[in-house]
Amino acid sequence: MTNANPESQPATPEATTHSNFLRDQIAEDVRTKKYGDAVVQTRFPPEPNGYLHIGHAKAICIDFGLADEFGGKTNLRFDDTNPEKEETEYVESIKTDVRWLGFDWDRLCYASDYFGQLYEWALKLVKAGNAYVDDLTADEIRQHRGTLTEPGTDSPFRNRTIEENLDLFVRMKNGEFPDGSRVLRAKIEMASPNLNMRDPVMYRILHATHHRTGDEWCIYPMYDFAHGQSDSIEHVTHSMCTLEFADHQPLYRWYIEQLGIFPSQQIEFDRLNLTYTLLSKRKLLQLVQEKRVNAWDDPRMPTLSGLRRRGFTPEAIRAFCGAIGASRTNGSTDVEMLEHFQRDDLNHRARRAMAVLHPLKLVIDNYPEGKEEFVEVANNPEAPSAGTRQVPFSRELFIEHDDFREVPPPKYYRLSPGKEVRLRNAYFVTAKSVVKDAAGNVIEVHCTYDPLSRGGNSPDGRKVKSTMHWVSAAHAISAEIRLYDKLFTKADPYDLEEGQDVLDNLNPNSVEVLTGAELEPSLASAKREDRFQFERVGYFCLDPDSAAGKLVFNRTLALKDSWAKIEKKAGA
Ligand code: ATP
Ligand code: MG
């Protein structure tokens, strides 16, 4: 891989070996030398009007991944032709996210770099009689466009002379006319069955300050008059985009042919749709603006920055993108599949630690008061090279509230009066009695331990049915824990009742904050990039809200893997 960061190899081989029609097409073009000896050139073309989401990760993996495979190159190009919606903050976040995902671009480009060239090309089309200035309003243009079943009708300005069109277009550019008063349109065919070919708008007047070109321009090219030509300028051989652009392909080709420029070709693939997830920058922006989430990088967001903060890794996201591949029809992917890839990755890399989220005091009556000892614990049983650590043990511990029942239901094998269990890596203990508060809640459990069971090993072949995690009370550090759930309540957030908005399907309980968790002391030195499996609880990482003496951990995922079950049921 030349583009990918060497530290971040795909977590599973599927990431590079999965076959798809895009690869087949590129292979064919290389074989037939469609572009001579030119290298395979792709681009990833985000509009800087929001943060990247997991759907963009799919496009990035396709654009960079396929170029890589063929020894080609990929440009990062900002499609910045909408000055009103674009910001430098978004440009910076996009660069960060592409790099984080493990890719590095060949050239960093901006459609706005080509405004001069695009204007020259527009003049060329005007001079050839292939473009005209139209004074109809946006509404009138829409009315003249016709429908899928009815042809459009010509604008009364369609047959202006070339001289008049030239004069008006230059004056549009010079700022002589107000916003919306005129547009430049390609003169193609108002009866075309493809609506995109019915004299599409090429330029609009917009006296807006652009994040890069400032006030230099007051006319801006439309997407269709910018994208293909930008591809052509960069000698993009394979311009891969999502299926909604398929209808634009004839126009993409028309401009390139009329201008006689480098013949970039557009190929479409399916958009990623994930269950319980909204993938639209416009809607995600609304979530941020309306403060339904805290920010673009809120760990519940499907943005790359949100997933990163939540503890997802680039390796897992790439492996997932490799596994879903690309197709020619849109579908929907279970979010559990993404989670499955993430768990698989974390299972191999996450350091194990003990953390008690809902602490209940456990006192070992026959353990000497004031005594402290250390038990040796493997950092990751899946990776012996991760080594071991010493965890302090003492007379008073915290266990999970859920791990004790005064009156155990059938098949409850954890701690209850008279029952013996194993404290992981430490000792066997048997519950003896409880202390309750005035309301009758158990606030302390008393037990005895078997000193011969040190290390959690049975002293005499005696079996226990349960192994529980624990934290020594005297050594524990407290932390805030944030547990996340799905952001939407419906698998398809767009499954709406009459008059509802997609945001009505937001899950009101998508985050639960626990303030009294008790953690083993080694977690005091946790760093942002560390990944943990809190034993029996889930995968966690440190949140940037943490400060000295105030640790905050995010739950990346719970341990259970519902995808593995789904796969098993499906007989996969
Ligand atoms: P959104 O609707 O979220 O704003 P977009 O398509 O407008 O997405 P762009 O910034 O224009 O976003 O997209 C950059 C590239 O990413 C395009 O090639 C686009 O096709 C691709 N892309 C965007 N969303 C998805 C998705 N859900 N799945 C796959 N590719 C996507
Ligand atoms: Mg867009």
Side-chain angles (χ1 to χ4, degrees), residues 172-184:
M172 274 171 64
K173 184 222 174 209
N174 290 343
E176 291 186 29
F177 309 122
D179 287 2
S181 58
R182 293 190 159 88
V183 292
L184 183 73

Side-chain angles (χ1 to χ4, degrees), residues 45-47 49 56 79 82 223 244-245 271 281:
E47 187 182 349
N49 61 351
H56 293 109
D79 205 337
N82 272 324
Y223 169 87
E244 69 272 21
F245 293 103
R271 255 184 120 75
K281 276 184 283 180

Side-chain angles (χ1 to χ4, degrees), residues 395-427:
R395 186 169 187 268
E396 296 197 359
L397 310 168
F398 290 118
I399 59 170
E400 294 287 350
H401 242 284
D402 243 15
D403 282 342
F404 176 81
R405 292 287 174 87
E406 195 179 9
V407 183
K411 297 199 182 149
Y412 183 88
Y413 299 124
R414 289 173 264 170
L415 201 59
S416 58
K419 277 259 187 65
E420 185 171 48
V421 300
R422 174 189 292 110
L423 294 178
R424 191 160 172 73
N425 294 299
Y427 291 103

Side-chain angles (χ1 to χ4, degrees), residues 125-168:
L125 293 184
V126 173
K127 288 176 188 162
N130 287 327
Y132 62 97
V133 172
D134 196 345
D135 300 357
L136 292 184
T137 63
D139 268 348
E140 289 166 334
I141 290 180
R142 214 168 294 127
Q143 284 155 19
H144 280 71
R145 187 171 292 133
T147 63
L148 283 173
T149 51
E150 284 167 44
T153 44
D154 287 2
S155 161
F157 302 98
R158 194 172 200 263
N159 292 315
R160 278 178 160 150
T161 63
I162 289 175
E163 290 68 34
E164 192 182 0
N165 283 321
L166 256 183
D167 173 64
L168 288 171

Side-chain angles (χ1 to χ4, degrees), residues 563-572:
W563 175 252
K565 270 188 223 144
I566 293 170
E567 255 189 332
K568 216 167 160 189
K569 244 193 239 156

Side-chain angles (χ1 to χ4, degrees), residues 21-57:
F21 70 97
L22 298 168
R23 174 180 293 109
D24 295 345
Q25 159 115 39
I26 297 174
E28 177 68 4
D29 292 345
V30 168
R31 195 182 63 76
T32 61
K33 290 190 179 278
K34 178 165 182 170
Y35 290 98
D37 290 323
V39 296
V40 169
Q41 176 74 56
T42 66
R43 88 288 169 261
F44 172 63
E47 187 182 349
N49 61 351
Y51 281 60
L52 297 182
H53 52 60
I54 182 77
H56 293 109

Side-chain angles (χ1 to χ4, degrees), residues 325-559:
S327 109
R328 285 195 180 90
T329 46
N330 280 320
S332 171
T333 302
D334 273 312
V335 72
E336 282 87 0
M337 183 175 171
L338 171 64
E339 295 175 352
H340 166 77
F341 276 88
Q342 190 53 71
R343 280 196 188 87
D344 193 42
D345 178 48
L346 288 174
N347 184 37
H348 290 99
R349 74 161 76 200
R351 215 197 81 186
R352 273 46 171 179
M354 291 196 284
V356 175
L357 302 198
H358 300 276
L360 174 64
K361 188 65 99 40
L362 179 71
V363 182
I364 309 172
D365 290 333
N366 62 339
Y367 192 91
E369 263 188 84
K371 177 177 171 179
E372 149 190 289
E373 65 181 301
F374 290 85
V375 298
E376 186 172 21
V377 178
N379 284 330
N380 184 352
E382 299 282 326
S385 62
T388 61
R389 69 187 185 287
Q390 301 291 323
V391 180
F393 185 89
S394 63
R395 186 169 187 268
E396 296 197 359
L397 310 168
F398 290 118
I399 59 170
E400 294 287 350
H401 242 284
D402 243 15
D403 282 342
F404 176 81
R405 292 287 174 87
E406 195 179 9
V407 183
K411 297 199 182 149
Y412 183 88
Y413 299 124
R414 289 173 264 170
L415 201 59
S416 58
K419 277 259 187 65
E420 185 171 48
V421 300
R422 174 189 292 110
L423 294 178
R424 191 160 172 73
N425 294 299
Y427 291 103
F428 283 18
V429 292
T430 306
K432 296 292 182 193
S433 61
V434 298
V435 177
K436 293 182 181 180
D437 65 10
N441 302 309
V442 175
I443 52 168
E444 210 171 280
V445 175
H446 284 253
C447 67
T448 56
Y449 85 122
D450 178 351
L452 298 178
S453 62
R454 193 170 196 280
N457 302 313
S458 179
D460 53 7
R462 195 158 96 227
K463 292 236 162 44
V464 289
K465 280 195 166 153
S466 184
T467 299
M468 297 171 7
H469 63 283
W470 50 271
V471 172
S472 163
H475 304 86
I477 53 172
S478 49
E480 176 178 319
I481 305 274
R482 298 176 185 168
L483 305 175
Y484 301 101
D485 199 352
K486 295 181 166 73
L487 192 51
F488 286 88
T489 53
K490 288 190 178 167
D492 174 8
Y494 281 101
D495 173 8
L496 302 173
E497 313 271 309
E498 181 88 21
Q500 268 190 326
D501 179 81
V502 63
L503 299 195
D504 293 329
N505 281 334
L506 274 175
N507 176 3
N509 303 313
S510 53
V511 58
E512 183 188 353
V513 177
L514 306 177
T515 49
E518 301 284 357
L519 279 43
E520 69 166 70
S522 73
L523 288 166
S525 59
K527 292 186 202 55
R528 281 286 296 285
E529 58 279 12
D530 292 339
R531 297 289 183 280
F532 299 98
Q533 185 194 103
F534 291 175
E535 300 211 27
R536 300 177 64 229
V537 178
Y539 293 105
F540 289 79
C541 69
L542 198 68
D543 187 85
D545 284 347
S546 299
K550 179 196 176 244
L551 295 179
V552 180
F553 284 90
N554 293 321
R555 183 173 68 192
T556 309
L557 290 168
L559 286 183

